[in-house]
Amino acid sequence: MRDIFFRHPAIGALIFICLFSGNAVAQTVQPVDPDMAERKLDAPPSEVDPYEDWNRKVYGFNETIDNWFLRPVAKGYRTIMPGFADRAVTNFFNNLTEIRNFANSIFQLKGESAVVAAGRFTYNTVFGLGGLIDVATMFDLPERPEDFGQTLGYWGTGSGPYLMLPFLGPSNPRDFGGFVSDNLLLPSAWDLAETPDVYYARALQIVDKRADLIPAEGFISGDGYTFVRNAYLQRRAYLINDGRTVDDPFASDDDEDLMLEDF
């Protein structure tokens, strides 16, 4: 129980509130076949987001918590944290996700991506001072994010309806299940953390993530809920289809296209 709590603490979910009051899980079915993916993404909003009324209430709840607590703390963090130190903290936590990337690349039979994830973790850990410096990107090994939600989508598991979850933000049944699996079942560097250090590390990770998202807030236009939903769906479709673009499922809403790296 101790490991489960450390690897998936409730406060850790606040990372996803950073995504404009709502994120790290929702889209329509994204099978491997790009033609089928495009047909599903063309579904009307009523099919993709059948619980919109409830989702908007949860979105408002998440937004309130972010406005009153997380965002002010993140703004203070940006004010006092030197740029090089901020980048080092971000690099350190990003490096830990390479273990997840490696495992899910194996599950998806993506040998090249698995090698890249292993190489990134090795280079950044050994030559990047424990991950503080992103040496791997300098060696032309950019990150290839993979999670268990993507793994389920790769093998044809349907996503189910779009959901806005308290604290966790944008999600769906498949991606929420993947999120839980990544944090509770798969190997993680967080297993090595001891109390109370794990609490300090988690808190720093949350604040750093939220601080990094502050500049992106200027991209939000129109209805915030719709914008977050569209951006999230686009990002997840992009990841699951390995960069093969598909049509924006909500293009008629006249929102700007946005691929948010943290969605």
Side-chain angles (χ1 to χ4, degrees):
M1 289 298 294
R2 183 181 67 88
D3 288 342
I4 290 177
F5 180 74
F6 285 165
R7 293 181 62 177
H8 185 55
I11 194 171
L14 288 174
I15 294 174
F16 300 98
I17 297 176
C18 303
L19 303 179
F20 319 118
S21 313
N23 187 327
V25 258
Q27 77 268 33
T28 55
V29 179
Q30 296 297 327
V32 180
D33 182 353
D35 294 332
M36 185 180 297
E38 183 172 352
R39 289 197 298 272
K40 291 295 183 180
L41 283 173
D42 286 339
S46 59
E47 294 183 13
V48 178
D49 190 5
Y51 307 120
E52 182 173 351
D53 289 343
W54 169 257
N55 287 338
R56 284 184 177 275
K57 292 182 175 66
V58 177
Y59 176 85
F61 169 77
N62 290 346
E63 188 174 45
T64 298
I65 294 179
D66 184 56
N67 289 339
W68 282 93
F69 174 68
L70 192 53
R71 189 174 188 277
V73 173
K75 290 182 66 176
Y77 174 87
R78 284 178 60 87
T79 299
I80 65 175
M81 197 71 162
F84 72 89
D86 183 21
R87 286 190 297 273
V89 171
T90 300
N91 290 338
F92 175 80
F93 289 117
N94 285 345
N95 189 50
L96 299 182
T97 66
E98 294 299 342
I99 299 175
R100 179 203 69 193
N101 295 341
F102 174 80
N104 283 287
S105 294
I106 295 294
F107 295 154
Q108 297 175 47
L109 307 180
K110 298 177 180 177
E112 182 179 348
S113 294
V115 170
V116 169
R120 281 184 55 83
F121 184 78
T122 301
Y123 283 136
N124 289 340
T125 301
V126 176
F127 302 111
L129 304 179
L132 296 177
I133 303 173
D134 188 2
V135 177
T137 297
M138 300 178 190
F139 290 166
D140 199 25
L141 285 176
E143 181 185 11
R144 299 186 181 186
E146 300 287 353
D147 56 56
F148 201 70
Q150 291 171 244
T151 297
L152 293 175
Y154 176 87
W155 291 108
T157 302
S159 68
Y162 177 79
L163 301 174
M164 180 66 70
L165 301 178
F167 300 108
L168 290 177
S171 187
N172 61 38
R174 180 190 64 203
D175 287 345
F176 177 69
F179 175 75
V180 172
S181 297
D182 280 331
N183 285 273
L184 300 186
L185 303 180
L186 297 184
S188 171
W190 289 100
D191 292 337
L192 304 176
E194 297 293 338
T195 184
D197 295 338
V198 66
Y199 297 109
Y200 304 144
R202 284 293 193 182
L204 178 60
Q205 181 187 28
I206 294 166
V207 174
D208 177 72
K209 174 66 70 175
R210 182 62 181 94
D212 289 344
L213 288 168
I214 287 178
E217 293 176 352
F219 288 107
I220 298 180
S221 62
D223 175 52
Y225 171 83
T226 301
F227 187 95
V228 170
R229 180 186 63 188
N230 294 0
Y232 181 79
L233 296 180
Q234 290 177 37
R235 178 61 180 168
R236 292 300 294 177
Y238 180 88
L239 290 174
I240 291 176
N241 289 283
D242 291 329
R244 296 191 299 270
T245 58
V246 292
D247 292 344
D248 178 1
F250 301 107
S252 61
D253 289 343
D254 296 328
D255 285 320
E256 297 179 36
D257 289 343
L258 178 63
M259 287 296 185
L260 295 176
E261 290 298 325
D262 294 283
F263 272 78

